[in-house]
Amino acid sequence: QVQLVESGGGLVQAGGSLRLSCAASGRTFSSRTSGWFRQAPGKEREFVAAISWRADSTNYGDSVKGRFTISRDNAKTTMYLQMNSLKPEDTAVYYCAAARPYSSTYEYWGQGTQVTVSS
């Protein structure tokens, strides 16, 4: 069982930065690929970024490449999303997720944190 709790969301002006954190409980988090997703009102959930359990591989959605950076600290069972050069279209609820071991299928989700970017 893995529980995920996001934090760090808020209101920021366009061009600004935010750092999201995802604190995980459960010993298996460190062995799972983990990722960030987001959902804006009236839109489908969108993949943002993912990181392998060893943090030796990362993957980003096209809309955030070059602006967002995903990282993790397995010793602290915490994952991060550094978001720079934020745009109004980045406004959404951001969710962290953990995949099944040795899989890219996500099975655990956090409750989400709101990010609002004003123009």
Side-chain angles (χ1 to χ4, degrees):
Q1 185 80 4
V2 175
Q3 293 185 327
L4 305 171
V5 179
E6 302 95 336
S7 62
L11 174 64
V12 64
Q13 288 189 332
S17 298
L18 279 176
R19 188 194 196 202
L20 304 184
S21 298
C22 174
S25 63
R27 291 179 295 175
T28 64
F29 175 77
S30 300
S31 63
R32 297 171 183 261
T33 291
S34 300
W36 290 94
F37 293 78
R38 67 187 183 186
Q39 188 165 22
K43 294 188 177 181
E44 293 187 353
R45 186 172 61 198
E46 176 187 13
F47 168 75
V48 175
I51 186 166
S52 62
W53 68 274
R54 282 193 219 174
D56 57 354
S57 176
T58 58
N59 188 27
Y60 295 91
D62 289 341
S63 61
V64 306
K65 281 180 183 176
R67 300 187 298 122
F68 291 10
T69 302
I70 190 171
S71 61
R72 68 190 298 163
D73 184 338
N74 285 339
K76 296 181 179 179
T77 60
T78 301
M79 180 174 65
Y80 306 97
L81 185 68
Q82 178 66 42
M83 305 187 295
N84 298 329
S85 302
L86 283 162
K87 305 175 182 179
E89 50 264 44
D90 293 319
T91 295
V93 177
Y94 283 71
Y95 300 90
C96 65
R100 295 175 185 168
Y102 313 111
S103 169
S104 58
T105 301
Y106 291 91
E107 66 174 339
Y108 294 109
W109 296 82
Q111 83 290 348
T113 185
Q114 176 71 47
V115 171
T116 302
V117 184
S118 64
S119 56

